[in-house]
Amino acid sequence: MTCTRHSARPASSVGRSLHPPLLPRHLIGGHVRTRNRLLAGLSALMVAGFGALAAPTTAHAANLLSNAGFESGDLSGWSCSGSTGSVVGSPVHGGSKALAGAATAGDTARCSQRVTVQPNTAYTLSSWVRGSYVHLGVTGGTATWTSSASDYTKLTVSFTTGANQTSAEVYLHGWYGQGTYYADDVSLDGPGGGDDTQAPTAPGNLKVTGTTATSVSLSWDPATDNVGVTGYDVYRGDTRAASVTGTTATVTGLTPNTGYDFTVRAKDRAGNTSPASASVRATTAPDSGGSDRFIQAAPYLYLGWGNPPAATEVMNATGIKWFTMAFILAQNGCNPSWDSQRPLTGGVDEATIKSIRAAGGDIVPSIGGWSGNKLGPACSTPEALAGAYQKVIDAYRLKAIDVDIENTDEFENAAVQDRILTALRIVKQNNPGLKTILTFPTLNTGPNSWGNRLIERAAALNADIDNFTIMPFNFGGGADMYGSTVKATEGLKNKLKSTFNWTDAQAYAHIGISGMNDSSDTGEVTTPQIWTQIRDWANAHDIGRLAFWAVNRDRPSWQFTSITAGFTG
């Protein structure tokens, strides 16, 4: 561990190869000739294609793919290898969503969909793609690819089904070690199998199964179809609010104490849509008000660095009540420990927590950070990760947890982002009243593309995050730290509003600021006067959380800690 803040560093520039991509290192060596045959075969596919060469019938201009623009906000209709696929809000070609495939050294992030087709018939497959070595094709048939598309580029292939072929699988994928690719507005034009024109029946027995101040949960009886129902669209009035494959949904981002009307429509693979279900009305719960609102002034205290101060001494000198204690990391697999070294119980960390509580305070653990062996990548499934979080919660009977998600292993990894969000949803369900915080880096204008994705996926996965805390620093030496912090926070507020359909007040209440006292990693300076300005702005806008790195660096006067203690939200 280092004594600097576990903060985001600028991503290095990676050069792009002008040659066809290679297989990952662990597949090279004895498999070189296999690799060459693979590339040669791929080239042949692009030139010649597969499929029967009998005279094709004429295709109808109809897109057979479901969720072709990923506007449902999820991967319904698609199957992606190794949890590498996700839906993002930027960059997109059309609409508001697109597919992101996080290709790694061992996985091309292949996403596919199987559709019903007619034998001996011509079809055209196309997609808008962006990234390096993005492939589009038909399993067992023709394919095409682009080596480098810095902006969205259209790929198109045509193929003819065999004499007895009744289904086809279309796919997109990147290439080993070439990073994330994007795809949008995928289209397979041609007649569906049997030219299905029969719509499903309307879903029955739509009912409300739960409400909160900002969400409504619904369930319904399944619809029927002559071929098969592939999903359901939930409408709030005339606006599509959710798309799911099952018979339950939770609509989020609603206004407290407000009535809403909901209906549901079923859809099949051919794109036929059922009549609307009977309407049901739900009223969200009243806003819980100030007494239950999540407010936390919690500067970082790091027991793994240098000569950490006594927490009770700081509390007595400043009036601070909460600390963000850093850092919970992984040890020997998916096992939580302090700094990957110290056990959760029986050591200095537990003793410190007990002393803080005895003095009338409490702590929130910071799980993750910039460096070290983190639980997000170390735990292979959301359930395993939730189990690791639960060990920390149980060890200290916690009221809140903070996941500090940074660097390429967590923040810039779509699969790990989704794993963390799903795990947080699980622990919230299993621990009523637990508050969850996400801490992540930011630009001085607001979240970057990975931050935007994190927020969008939090909404799509119904993670129910209580606070989104940004780290507004490391913009560069000489930055206006007050102005940059306010600008970054306003950018986050606007993103939360557009994603969750919140008001300004609702968005501010879900925001946190985690600054850096004195000099940052890049030489910016936040003085006590500037931190006071930031605190006063945060109080005036009723944000939910204020923190800084770190109490260890606030000696001997504890000025920044005293200022933070004046945060009221």
Side-chain angles (χ1 to χ4, degrees):
M1 308 296 294
T2 64
C3 63
T4 58
R5 171 73 168 99
H6 284 210
S7 56
R9 306 293 197 272
S12 60
S13 176
V14 179
R16 300 197 180 277
S17 170
L18 298 179
H19 305 287
L22 302 180
L23 290 172
R25 186 182 300 273
H26 65 275
L27 296 180
I28 297 178
H31 297 276
V32 169
R33 285 177 292 180
T34 301
R35 184 204 70 204
N36 290 340
R37 288 198 298 270
L38 173 64
L39 293 176
L42 180 61
S43 299
L45 288 179
M46 296 170 199
V47 175
F50 285 106
L53 299 179
T57 61
T58 301
H60 301 293
N63 189 359
L64 302 183
L65 299 175
S66 63
N67 197 19
F70 307 95
E71 294 302 310
S72 68
D74 57 28
L75 292 171
S76 57
W78 295 88
S79 176
C80 296
S81 60
S83 301
T84 53
S86 63
V87 176
V88 297
S90 177
V92 301
H93 173 260
S96 61
K97 304 293 181 184
L99 168 70
T104 67
D107 196 320
T108 62
R110 186 180 191 271
C111 295
S112 63
Q113 182 174 148
R114 182 168 290 278
V115 298
T116 303
V117 295
Q118 293 186 10
N120 192 30
T121 303
Y123 291 87
T124 300
L125 173 66
S126 65
S127 178
W128 291 86
V129 302
R130 174 173 171 168
S132 297
Y133 298 100
V134 190
H135 297 66
L136 173 73
V138 185
T139 301
T142 190
T144 187
W145 61 303
T146 178
S147 62
S148 179
S150 58
D151 203 351
Y152 273 103
T153 300
K154 189 174 185 180
L155 296 179
T156 302
V157 294
S158 296
F159 67 98
T160 300
T161 54
N164 299 307
Q165 185 175 354
T166 58
S167 70
E169 182 184 61
V170 303
Y171 64 81
L172 289 141
H173 67 73
W175 200 250
Y176 298 105
Q178 296 299 307
T180 300
Y181 71 88
Y182 302 92
D184 200 0
D185 299 327
V186 193
S187 177
L188 178 62
D189 287 341
D195 274 344
D196 177 22
T197 59
Q198 182 174 328
T201 62
N205 195 29
L206 177 63
K207 58 186 178 183
V208 178
T209 58
T211 61
T212 70
T214 59
S215 69
V216 171
S217 296
L218 305 163
S219 70
W220 55 90
D221 293 340
T224 60
D225 184 67
N226 62 315
V227 176
V229 174
T230 58
Y232 298 88
D233 289 331
V234 180
Y235 286 85
R236 184 186 70 236
D238 295 329
T239 301
R240 188 173 67 181
S243 292
V244 296
T245 56
T247 56
T248 62
T250 298
V251 179
T252 60
L254 306 179
T255 301
N257 201 28
T258 303
Y260 294 93
D261 294 310
F262 296 95
T263 56
V264 179
R265 294 176 182 266
K267 53 191 177 183
D268 64 19
R269 190 170 295 282
N272 301 307
T273 303
S274 78
S277 68
S279 177
V280 66
R281 186 167 182 81
T283 300
T284 51
D287 196 334
S288 58
S291 60
D292 294 330
R293 187 170 152 238
F294 179 59
I295 302 172
Q296 190 182 83
Y300 280 81
L301 176 64
Y302 185 28
L303 300 186
W305 166 32
N307 181 27
T312 52
E313 176 188 340
V314 178
M315 295 173 71
N316 291 333
T318 65
I320 200 72
K321 294 295 184 182
W322 279 80
F323 293 96
T324 303
M325 281 185 57
F327 290 95
I328 295 283
L329 296 172
Q331 182 180 31
N332 299 325
C334 183
N335 298 301
S337 66
W338 294 100
D339 288 341
S340 295
Q341 299 171 3
R342 305 186 303 280
L344 295 180
T345 58
V348 63
D349 305 276
E350 184 184 33
T352 299
I353 293 170
K354 287 181 176 179
S355 70
I356 291 170
R357 286 177 169 170
D362 212 337
I363 69 104
V364 55
S366 178
I367 304 173
W370 171 261
S371 62
N373 185 23
K374 300 167 203 171
L375 289 168
C379 301
S380 60
T381 66
E383 292 75 19
L385 183 57
Y389 293 161
Q390 191 65 51
K391 290 179 181 178
V392 183
I393 295 166
D394 292 343
Y396 310 119
R397 303 182 308 280
L398 293 172
K399 300 174 184 175
I401 60 172
D402 168 36
V403 178
D404 185 333
I405 177 170
E406 303 186 47
N407 216 327
T408 56
D409 56 349
E410 289 194 315
F411 186 57
E412 297 180 12
N413 186 313
V416 174
Q417 274 198 6
D418 287 1
R419 188 179 305 152
I420 289 171
L421 291 167
T422 304
L424 288 174
R425 182 184 68 201
I426 292 171
V427 296
K428 284 208 71 172
Q429 292 169 344
N430 293 337
N431 300 270
L434 180 76
K435 303 299 184 182
T436 54
I437 305 162
L438 282 175
T439 298
F440 54 99
T442 184
L443 303 173
N444 63 0
T445 54
N448 65 8
S449 61
W450 285 104
N452 286 333
R453 183 197 183 278
L454 184 68
I455 293 167
E456 291 160 4
R457 294 299 290 163
L461 294 170
N462 295 316
D464 193 21
I465 302 300
D466 293 286
N467 188 276
F468 296 87
T469 295
I470 53 171
M471 296 181 287
F473 53 81
N474 285 353
F475 302 133
D480 171 8
M481 293 309 294
Y482 171 73
S484 295
T485 298
V486 169
K487 188 176 180 181
T489 309
E490 288 289 354
L492 173 61
K493 181 260 295 184
N494 292 333
K495 181 61 182 178
L496 294 176
K497 284 181 62 180
S498 64
T499 302
F500 293 99
N501 195 29
W502 285 338
T503 63
D504 278 4
Q506 288 174 309
Y508 282 129
H510 287 81
I511 284 175
I513 294 172
S514 180
M516 184 177 283
N517 55 320
D518 296 322
S519 180
S520 72
D521 297 329
T522 58
E524 305 152 327
V525 176
T526 299
T527 64
Q529 292 73 27
I530 293 174
W531 189 239
T532 300
Q533 284 183 287
I534 292 171
R535 182 207 61 189
D536 291 347
W537 183 92
N539 282 339
H541 290 79
D542 297 323
I543 76 167
R545 185 169 184 255
L546 188 66
F548 72 89
W549 178 265
V551 173
N552 304 55
R553 306 170 68 235
D554 197 23
R555 307 169 196 264
S557 61
W558 316 121
Q559 274 187 289
F560 285 86
T561 309
S562 297
I563 295 165
T564 306
F567 172 70
T568 57

mmCIF file of all heavy atoms in Angstrom, residues 343-367:
data_model
loop_
_atom_site.group_PDB
_atom_site.id
_atom_site.type_symbol
_atom_site.label_atom_id
_atom_site.label_comp_id
_atom_site.label_asym_id
_atom_site.label_seq_id
_atom_site.Cartn_x
_atom_site.Cartn_y
_atom_site.Cartn_z
ATOM 1 N N PRO A 343 -6.970 -9.605 9.764
ATOM 2 C CA PRO A 343 -8.304 -10.216 9.837
ATOM 3 C C PRO A 343 -9.372 -9.194 10.212
ATOM 4 O O PRO A 343 -9.077 -8.147 10.801
ATOM 5 C CB PRO A 343 -8.136 -11.276 10.924
ATOM 6 C CG PRO A 343 -7.037 -10.758 11.785
ATOM 7 C CD PRO A 343 -6.085 -10.066 10.852
ATOM 8 N N LEU A 344 -10.604 -9.522 9.889
ATOM 9 C CA LEU A 344 -11.703 -8.612 10.204
ATOM 10 C C LEU A 344 -11.856 -8.425 11.707
ATOM 11 O O LEU A 344 -12.161 -7.319 12.179
ATOM 12 C CB LEU A 344 -13.013 -9.142 9.611
ATOM 13 C CG LEU A 344 -13.100 -9.210 8.076
ATOM 14 C CD1 LEU A 344 -14.450 -9.760 7.641
ATOM 15 C CD2 LEU A 344 -12.877 -7.834 7.434
ATOM 16 N N THR A 345 -11.678 -9.494 12.447
ATOM 17 C CA THR A 345 -11.875 -9.415 13.899
ATOM 18 C C THR A 345 -10.603 -9.819 14.640
ATOM 19 O O THR A 345 -9.755 -10.530 14.109
ATOM 20 C CB THR A 345 -13.032 -10.337 14.337
ATOM 21 O OG1 THR A 345 -12.742 -11.678 13.937
ATOM 22 C CG2 THR A 345 -14.345 -9.906 13.709
ATOM 23 N N GLY A 346 -10.489 -9.316 15.872
ATOM 24 C CA GLY A 346 -9.378 -9.705 16.723
ATOM 25 C C GLY A 346 -8.134 -8.860 16.570
ATOM 26 O O GLY A 346 -7.116 -9.149 17.209
ATOM 27 N N GLY A 347 -8.187 -7.807 15.754
ATOM 28 C CA GLY A 347 -7.005 -6.983 15.536
ATOM 29 C C GLY A 347 -7.256 -5.520 15.820
ATOM 30 O O GLY A 347 -8.264 -5.121 16.415
ATOM 31 N N VAL A 348 -6.327 -4.683 15.340
ATOM 32 C CA VAL A 348 -6.382 -3.254 15.611
ATOM 33 C C VAL A 348 -7.610 -2.606 14.971
ATOM 34 O O VAL A 348 -8.163 -1.637 15.509
ATOM 35 C CB VAL A 348 -5.077 -2.572 15.135
ATOM 36 C CG1 VAL A 348 -4.911 -2.714 13.624
ATOM 37 C CG2 VAL A 348 -5.056 -1.095 15.518
ATOM 38 N N ASP A 349 -8.059 -3.122 13.820
ATOM 39 C CA ASP A 349 -9.198 -2.513 13.135
ATOM 40 C C ASP A 349 -10.477 -2.675 13.946
ATOM 41 O O ASP A 349 -11.232 -1.709 14.142
ATOM 42 C CB ASP A 349 -9.359 -3.151 11.747
ATOM 43 C CG ASP A 349 -8.087 -3.051 10.934
ATOM 44 O OD1 ASP A 349 -7.869 -2.004 10.303
ATOM 45 O OD2 ASP A 349 -7.295 -4.003 10.960
ATOM 46 N N GLU A 350 -10.729 -3.888 14.430
ATOM 47 C CA GLU A 350 -11.925 -4.100 15.255
ATOM 48 C C GLU A 350 -11.834 -3.286 16.546
ATOM 49 O O GLU A 350 -12.837 -2.699 16.995
ATOM 50 C CB GLU A 350 -12.095 -5.580 15.582
ATOM 51 C CG GLU A 350 -13.375 -5.854 16.366
ATOM 52 C CD GLU A 350 -13.511 -7.311 16.787
ATOM 53 O OE1 GLU A 350 -12.478 -7.953 17.063
ATOM 54 O OE2 GLU A 350 -14.664 -7.790 16.857
ATOM 55 N N ALA A 351 -10.656 -3.232 17.139
ATOM 56 C CA ALA A 351 -10.494 -2.464 18.379
ATOM 57 C C ALA A 351 -10.792 -0.983 18.140
ATOM 58 O O ALA A 351 -11.413 -0.310 18.985
ATOM 59 C CB ALA A 351 -9.075 -2.647 18.924
ATOM 60 N N THR A 352 -10.342 -0.450 17.007
ATOM 61 C CA THR A 352 -10.599 0.950 16.672
ATOM 62 C C THR A 352 -12.090 1.199 16.484
ATOM 63 O O THR A 352 -12.631 2.219 16.956
ATOM 64 C CB THR A 352 -9.824 1.346 15.412
ATOM 65 O OG1 THR A 352 -8.426 1.186 15.645
ATOM 66 C CG2 THR A 352 -10.119 2.778 15.014
ATOM 67 N N ILE A 353 -12.755 0.292 15.784
ATOM 68 C CA ILE A 353 -14.195 0.443 15.566
ATOM 69 C C ILE A 353 -14.942 0.454 16.895
ATOM 70 O O ILE A 353 -15.847 1.266 17.127
ATOM 71 C CB ILE A 353 -14.714 -0.683 14.645
ATOM 72 C CG1 ILE A 353 -14.129 -0.512 13.245
ATOM 73 C CG2 ILE A 353 -16.245 -0.686 14.584
ATOM 74 C CD1 ILE A 353 -14.368 -1.681 12.321
ATOM 75 N N LYS A 354 -14.554 -0.426 17.805
ATOM 76 C CA LYS A 354 -15.208 -0.471 19.116
ATOM 77 C C LYS A 354 -14.986 0.827 19.884
ATOM 78 O O LYS A 354 -15.897 1.338 20.551
ATOM 79 C CB LYS A 354 -14.679 -1.659 19.910
ATOM 80 C CG LYS A 354 -15.187 -3.006 19.427
ATOM 81 C CD LYS A 354 -14.636 -4.149 20.271
ATOM 82 C CE LYS A 354 -15.215 -5.490 19.840
ATOM 83 N NZ LYS A 354 -14.665 -6.615 20.653
ATOM 84 N N SER A 355 -13.783 1.403 19.772
ATOM 85 C CA SER A 355 -13.508 2.655 20.487
ATOM 86 C C SER A 355 -14.309 3.813 19.901
ATOM 87 O O SER A 355 -14.797 4.679 20.642
ATOM 88 C CB SER A 355 -12.007 2.961 20.445
ATOM 89 O OG SER A 355 -11.580 3.326 19.131
ATOM 90 N N ILE A 356 -14.453 3.834 18.575
ATOM 91 C CA ILE A 356 -15.246 4.885 17.923
ATOM 92 C C ILE A 356 -16.696 4.789 18.375
ATOM 93 O O ILE A 356 -17.344 5.801 18.688
ATOM 94 C CB ILE A 356 -15.125 4.756 16.392
ATOM 95 C CG1 ILE A 356 -13.712 5.112 15.928
ATOM 96 C CG2 ILE A 356 -16.152 5.649 15.692
ATOM 97 C CD1 ILE A 356 -13.439 4.782 14.472
ATOM 98 N N ARG A 357 -17.235 3.591 18.407
ATOM 99 C CA ARG A 357 -18.637 3.417 18.811
ATOM 100 C C ARG A 357 -18.832 3.740 20.290
ATOM 101 O O ARG A 357 -19.860 4.302 20.684
ATOM 102 C CB ARG A 357 -19.084 1.990 18.485
ATOM 103 C CG ARG A 357 -19.293 1.789 16.983
ATOM 104 C CD ARG A 357 -19.662 0.367 16.637
ATOM 105 N NE ARG A 357 -20.101 0.274 15.248
ATOM 106 C CZ ARG A 357 -20.299 -0.885 14.616
ATOM 107 N NH1 ARG A 357 -20.089 -2.034 15.240
ATOM 108 N NH2 ARG A 357 -20.704 -0.889 13.360
ATOM 109 N N ALA A 358 -17.850 3.392 21.105
ATOM 110 C CA ALA A 358 -17.955 3.716 22.526
ATOM 111 C C ALA A 358 -17.984 5.224 22.755
ATOM 112 O O ALA A 358 -18.565 5.702 23.743
ATOM 113 C CB ALA A 358 -16.780 3.096 23.288
ATOM 114 N N ALA A 359 -17.374 5.987 21.809
ATOM 115 C CA ALA A 359 -17.360 7.450 21.909
ATOM 116 C C ALA A 359 -18.552 8.083 21.201
ATOM 117 O O ALA A 359 -18.600 9.311 21.051
ATOM 118 C CB ALA A 359 -16.060 7.984 21.321
ATOM 119 N N GLY A 360 -19.518 7.261 20.773
ATOM 120 C CA GLY A 360 -20.734 7.788 20.156
ATOM 121 C C GLY A 360 -20.666 7.931 18.650
ATOM 122 O O GLY A 360 -21.548 8.572 18.058
ATOM 123 N N GLY A 361 -19.665 7.340 17.999
ATOM 124 C CA GLY A 361 -19.537 7.450 16.552
ATOM 125 C C GLY A 361 -19.761 6.128 15.861
ATOM 126 O O GLY A 361 -20.239 5.150 16.444
ATOM 127 N N ASP A 362 -19.412 6.072 14.575
ATOM 128 C CA ASP A 362 -19.556 4.838 13.796
ATOM 129 C C ASP A 362 -18.645 4.918 12.580
ATOM 130 O O ASP A 362 -18.041 5.958 12.305
ATOM 131 C CB ASP A 362 -20.999 4.618 13.372
ATOM 132 C CG ASP A 362 -21.359 3.138 13.289
ATOM 133 O OD1 ASP A 362 -20.438 2.302 13.137
ATOM 134 O OD2 ASP A 362 -22.560 2.809 13.361
ATOM 135 N N ILE A 363 -18.572 3.820 11.834
ATOM 136 C CA ILE A 363 -17.688 3.771 10.665
ATOM 137 C C ILE A 363 -18.433 3.178 9.474
ATOM 138 O O ILE A 363 -19.418 2.458 9.628
ATOM 139 C CB ILE A 363 -16.413 2.934 10.932
ATOM 140 C CG1 ILE A 363 -16.747 1.421 11.065
ATOM 141 C CG2 ILE A 363 -15.701 3.422 12.174
ATOM 142 C CD1 ILE A 363 -16.414 0.576 9.893
ATOM 143 N N VAL A 364 -17.934 3.503 8.287
ATOM 144 C CA VAL A 364 -18.308 2.824 7.055
ATOM 145 C C VAL A 364 -17.013 2.302 6.438
ATOM 146 O O VAL A 364 -16.049 3.061 6.295
ATOM 147 C CB VAL A 364 -19.061 3.756 6.081
ATOM 148 C CG1 VAL A 364 -18.274 5.017 5.775
ATOM 149 C CG2 VAL A 364 -19.412 3.028 4.783
ATOM 150 N N PRO A 365 -16.918 1.010 6.129
ATOM 151 C CA PRO A 365 -15.677 0.498 5.535
ATOM 152 C C PRO A 365 -15.591 0.864 4.060
ATOM 153 O O PRO A 365 -16.592 0.858 3.340
ATOM 154 C CB PRO A 365 -15.804 -1.017 5.718
ATOM 155 C CG PRO A 365 -17.274 -1.266 5.680
ATOM 156 C CD PRO A 365 -17.915 -0.059 6.299
ATOM 157 N N SER A 366 -14.401 1.190 3.612
ATOM 158 C CA SER A 366 -14.146 1.411 2.189
ATOM 159 C C SER A 366 -13.630 0.100 1.601
ATOM 160 O O SER A 366 -12.552 -0.369 1.959
ATOM 161 C CB SER A 366 -13.110 2.522 1.998
ATOM 162 O OG SER A 366 -12.834 2.705 0.625
ATOM 163 N N ILE A 367 -14.415 -0.470 0.701
ATOM 164 C CA ILE A 367 -14.092 -1.765 0.104
ATOM 165 C C ILE A 367 -13.548 -1.526 -1.294
ATOM 166 O O ILE A 367 -14.283 -1.082 -2.189
ATOM 167 C CB ILE A 367 -15.337 -2.670 0.046
ATOM 168 C CG1 ILE A 367 -15.940 -2.837 1.451
ATOM 169 C CG2 ILE A 367 -15.004 -4.022 -0.556
ATOM 170 C CD1 ILE A 367 -17.263 -3.571 1.473
#
